[in-house]
Amino acid sequence: MNSSDNYEKHFESQNVTDYPNTNTIFCVWVFKKDADIQPAFEQVCAVVANLNHSFAVRMPEDRVSCVMGIGYEAWIKLNLPTPVPKELTNFRPIVGEKYTAVSTPGDIHFHFRAANISACIDMSVAIAAVLNTVADRVEEVHGFRYWDGRSILGFVDGTENPIGKQRARFGMVGKEDLQYEGGSYLFVQKYVHNMEAWNSLSDEQQEKVFGRYKISDIEMPENIKPGNSHSALAGITDAQGNDLKIVRDNMPFRNAAKNEFGTYFISYANTFSTTNEMLKCMYIGNPPGNYDRILDFSIAQTGTLFFAPSVDLLNAYKAK
């Protein structure tokens, strides 16, 4: 039996392995200094459970979900179980010769998904009503589905995502960390794209940046695909040559007031090491210096690691 077959039998995980929906809101909160955060956190756990249950009953066809992730420092402040998840730390910046994957603060992350944006907005408002007195919302990004799942850059995003039962295998912690089985390492970056520079490239030049053909989404043959293309550097393997994957729920966003076009990169994984190794290949290069060409057009403004615990763990803390 595949280990992923056991997940639902032993505990309930948060909705980390669902496919991206049509509308998304991402929120990052940071606790205020000296705030009484424990009661608010317990209330938030209850609200998250209520939102997921209520929308599942009211709007099952809209695939509504609220996923909560918790940062390392918040985990400690909230006196959550110890030892902490094995790879939960503050994200350490990855510094390449030309570009850096920055590290930014974040105590709580919310990932709201729905076919109807109204559900995302209502969930965001409900969470804010609890957290406003004890935390500051330092980031809120409204994502949307762009055509057939493409990024603003015009290429299909998440083509290499695992599908079916593989999503649980790569997206959720298994027997290697029994205390946190069913949880997931949640990593986010807000990328802003230089659209003027990107649009100055021909389709053929853009395809060489991605290592894929734009219309068909077919990966270029190895003898044609540049070694510094995104698809060449983002794929990694273990010591036995097996592919290592993450569950990406990336969404494009647009902020007209700031003239921002971007991608909110979000990964769920059974280990942060996989995501971190992908980032090293992108920013440092493989070999070093051969960085991901997409970084010439995409700047990461944020970078934060969280852990999305199982529903069972969150329910143990929710206010009664």
Side-chain angles (χ1 to χ4, degrees), residues 2 4-5 7 17 19 162-171:
N2 189 304
S4 64
D5 294 338
Y7 283 114
T17 59
Y19 291 86
I163 59 175
K165 292 182 179 180
Q166 294 296 304
R167 293 177 74 80
R169 175 189 169 192
F170 289 109

Side-chain angles (χ1 to χ4, degrees), residues 154-166:
F155 287 75
V156 176
D157 203 349
T159 299
E160 292 300 318
N161 264 353
I163 59 175
K165 292 182 179 180
Q166 294 296 304

Side-chain angles (χ1 to χ4, degrees), residues 155 197-208 214:
F155 287 75
W198 179 251
N199 289 329
S200 71
L201 302 181
S202 67
D203 281 357
E204 183 179 0
Q205 289 172 320
Q206 290 179 357
E207 289 172 342
K208 289 181 178 179
K214 193 170 187 178

Side-chain angles (χ1 to χ4, degrees), residues 12-139:
E12 183 182 359
S13 65
Q14 292 195 71
N15 196 20
V16 301
T17 59
D18 197 6
Y19 291 86
N21 212 319
T22 305
N23 296 287
T24 307
I25 295 180
F26 305 101
C27 295
V28 179
W29 292 79
V30 173
F31 289 130
K32 296 177 181 179
K33 185 177 180 181
D34 299 326
D36 186 10
I37 61 176
Q38 195 71 38
F41 175 72
E42 292 172 1
Q43 185 60 39
V44 162
C45 289
V47 171
V48 169
N50 184 267
L51 289 172
N52 283 313
H53 180 79
S54 175
F55 278 114
V57 173
R58 294 160 53 202
M59 303 166 63
E61 70 284 354
D62 278 2
R63 294 173 40 232
V64 180
S65 68
C66 166
V67 176
M68 179 169 67
I70 304 166
Y72 173 76
E73 291 184 13
W75 194 281
I76 301 301
K77 291 176 183 177
L78 290 165
N79 296 311
L80 296 182
T82 56
V84 302
K86 289 181 179 179
E87 295 193 12
L88 179 60
T89 63
N90 288 323
F91 174 59
R92 300 179 182 87
I94 297 174
V95 182
E97 292 181 5
K98 191 171 183 180
Y99 299 110
T100 296
V102 298
S103 174
T104 52
D107 287 326
I108 305 289
H109 183 280
F110 293 96
H111 180 188
F112 306 112
R113 282 177 287 196
N116 189 330
I117 187 63
S118 302
C120 294
I121 291 172
D122 281 359
M123 289 191 288
S124 177
V125 169
I127 293 296
V130 178
L131 285 181
N132 273 333
T133 58
V134 299
D136 295 312
R137 183 165 28 187
V138 297
E139 192 72 72

Side-chain angles (χ1 to χ4, degrees), residues 69-76 79-90 173 176-186 269-272 305-310 313:
I70 304 166
Y72 173 76
E73 291 184 13
W75 194 281
I76 301 301
N79 296 311
L80 296 182
T82 56
V84 302
K86 289 181 179 179
E87 295 193 12
L88 179 60
T89 63
N90 288 323
V173 174
E176 68 277 6
D177 194 356
L178 286 175
Q179 186 175 7
Y180 298 108
E181 188 177 2
S184 184
Y185 290 92
L186 163 61
N270 60 352
T271 169
F272 179 60
L305 175 62
F306 303 90
F307 189 79
S310 68
L313 192 152

